[in-house]
Amino acid sequence: MKASWKGKRGTPSERGYGHDWVKLRNNYIRHNPLCEHRGPGCRGMARIVHHVKPVTERPDLRLERSNLMSVCDPCHRQLHNEKSPGVVVAVCGAPASGKTTYVRDRISPGEFVWDWDDVRDALGLSPESTVGETWMLKDIRSTIVQRVCSGAISKTLWMIITSPLTASKIADQYIIMDRSESECVATIKDRYRESSSRSAERRVLRVVSDWFTRYGHLSGTNGDCSALRTALGIPPGSPTQGDIIS
């Protein structure tokens, strides 16, 4: 026996979403691929075409283009007053690229921060974490992200991350700090000038070198980060999906 999708709401055609709607919907979202609502947690790329005035209230505007809006999933839930997930904003870049300062200057009351180094230190772990400790930290981070994305924690989570690739996979929005390697190195050397821990300084400088070896050729110069955008799959003209901050 085939399952019935009609239920109490009726079939899609009975509710005004028949073939004529599907044709219009596909045409509209093809010409308007980016979310037009741009609410908190917006994912940039649209997946749904929303009726501004519901079909139940204004059936005469069902196929009226001026009553349509391309939206992403989080924005669609907001427009229907459904349980809204939190927002994960990742700020990434090499050590000493200004990530922490960027977050500190923009975070609002009620929002919270995941900083790998701070969590590691709070747990009493060494900067040279073992493989097991590293996986534990990743599991904690993953759990927090899932709670925010599911709406269990309906807040903005700022994440300070080194890898742009990790940020592009787990965050709703991500910021890439575009600071030169020489600037990062100078900041680190100044930071450790009064410190006796030469090994710690060398470790951080090694991370900086590794970051620019891996991502530096993509980030370009003078703010030209088109290659990095392409590598991360950031849609052109979609700053909520990712942005380069110099």
Side-chain angles (χ1 to χ4, degrees):
M1 182 178 67
K2 293 184 178 180
S4 171
W5 292 98
K6 183 175 180 179
K8 296 181 180 180
R9 300 179 64 198
T11 65
S13 294
E14 290 170 344
R15 291 186 286 115
Y17 298 99
H19 176 72
D20 53 354
W21 161 252
V22 173
K23 183 178 179 179
L24 174 61
R25 181 264 180 207
N26 291 343
N27 179 270
Y28 187 89
I29 204 165
R30 183 167 60 250
H31 289 88
N32 300 275
L34 301 180
C35 182
E36 297 177 288
H37 181 62
R38 295 298 177 93
C42 178
R43 293 184 182 276
M45 297 302 293
R47 194 185 67 85
I48 301 165
V49 175
H50 170 74
H51 284 99
V52 178
K53 294 185 182 297
V55 174
T56 53
E57 296 178 8
R58 292 294 303 273
D60 56 310
L61 299 179
R62 181 175 68 92
L63 301 179
E64 176 59 51
R65 294 182 72 90
S66 62
N67 189 45
L68 304 181
M69 177 186 293
S70 290
V71 295
C72 63
D73 287 319
C75 286
H76 193 237
R77 286 193 291 269
Q78 292 166 24
L79 288 167
H80 284 280
N81 294 318
E82 296 177 1
K83 185 178 180 180
S84 180
V87 183
V88 179
V89 183
V91 180
C92 51
S97 59
K99 302 185 294 295
T100 300
T101 300
Y102 182 90
V103 173
R104 185 176 62 240
D105 291 346
R106 290 162 177 79
I107 193 169
S108 299
E111 300 176 346
F112 64 114
V113 180
W114 165 277
D115 185 323
W116 183 284
D117 292 343
D118 287 348
V119 175
R120 181 200 63 212
D121 293 344
L123 292 174
L125 302 178
S126 166
E128 300 290 347
S129 301
T130 66
V131 173
E133 291 169 343
T134 298
W135 278 109
M136 179 183 70
L137 289 168
K138 287 183 177 180
D139 285 344
I140 295 172
R141 182 179 68 187
S142 177
T143 299
I144 294 174
V145 170
Q146 289 173 4
R147 296 290 188 274
V148 172
C149 291
S150 69
I153 302 175
S154 189
K155 294 183 177 183
T156 295
L157 167 64
W158 292 83
M159 305 197 76
I160 297 175
I161 299 178
T162 302
S163 169
L165 296 179
T166 300
S168 68
K169 292 175 182 177
I170 68 176
D172 298 309
Q173 304 172 24
Y174 47 94
I175 310 301
I176 303 171
M177 308 304 294
D178 188 28
R179 199 177 186 200
S180 71
E181 182 173 5
S182 60
E183 290 176 308
C184 294
V185 169
T187 299
I188 291 169
K189 287 185 175 296
D190 184 64
R191 183 181 299 169
Y192 283 91
R193 192 178 305 278
E194 304 299 327
S195 173
S196 60
S197 180
R198 296 296 109 188
S199 61
E201 178 181 351
R202 288 194 296 271
R203 178 180 59 81
V204 179
L205 288 174
R206 185 168 62 250
V207 176
V208 171
S209 177
D210 290 345
W211 194 95
F212 281 94
T213 297
R214 186 170 184 181
Y215 303 113
H217 68 290
L218 294 175
S219 61
T221 57
N222 300 321
D224 178 14
C225 297
S226 57
L228 182 54
R229 287 179 179 275
T230 300
L232 296 177
I234 303 175
S238 181
T240 55
Q241 278 284 6
D243 208 357
I244 313 297
I245 302 298
S246 58

